[in-house]
Amino acid sequence: MIDAERLEQVAREELGYLWGDLNTARQNAIRGQWSIQCDGIEDRIKALTALVGPTPWDEIQISLLESGIYQRIHAELGIEVAPDMERVTQVRENSSSRVRRSS
C-alpha cells in the first residue's frame, strides 16, 4: 500500500533540494546566468510543484528570490507567490555585514 502522506513529504523534500540544485547550477553557468542544466532542473521543479504546491519562499536561496526566478517559475505554472522582499533585503544585508565583520 502506498503511504500518500509519506510520498508527499518526500516530494516536498526533493523539491527543496531541487531549488538548491538550481541555485548551484545557476552559479556554475557561464556568467552566472542560465544553462541547459538549469532548464532541466526547472522542469523538475515545475513537475513537483504542480503536484505538491510551492516551496515556501523563506526556504529558497536569496539569489533566486532577488533575481525573480522563484516568482517567474511559479507564474508560469499559474501559481501566485508573494515573497516578502523587504525581509529578503534584510537577510541579504545581515549576511553581507557578517561577511564584512569576519574579513
Side-chain angles (χ1 to χ4, degrees), residues 33-103:
Q33 296 298 313
W34 204 257
S35 66
I36 292 172
Q37 182 181 16
C38 294
D39 285 337
I41 296 169
E42 178 181 351
D43 289 344
R44 292 166 49 211
I45 287 171
K46 286 179 174 179
L48 282 176
T49 299
L51 295 173
V52 299
T55 300
W57 69 265
D58 58 348
E59 296 177 16
I60 302 298
Q61 293 73 18
I62 290 174
S63 62
L64 297 175
L65 297 167
E66 290 174 328
S67 65
I69 291 171
Y70 173 81
Q71 298 89 319
R72 175 187 58 78
I73 288 173
H74 288 93
E76 290 174 3
L77 291 169
I79 298 172
E80 186 175 332
V81 291
D84 181 345
M85 294 310 290
E86 188 173 304
R87 177 79 179 115
V88 170
T89 300
Q90 290 172 348
V91 170
R92 170 66 77 196
E93 289 170 357
N94 290 341
S95 173
S96 295
S97 67
R98 273 182 275 163
V99 169
R100 283 192 297 268
R101 278 186 265 150
S102 67
S103 300

Side-chain angles (χ1 to χ4, degrees), residues 6-16 48 52:
R6 178 71 180 130
L7 186 58
E8 183 176 342
Q9 178 187 2
V10 169
R12 287 187 183 283
E13 289 173 7
E14 180 62 19
L15 188 53
L48 282 176
V52 299

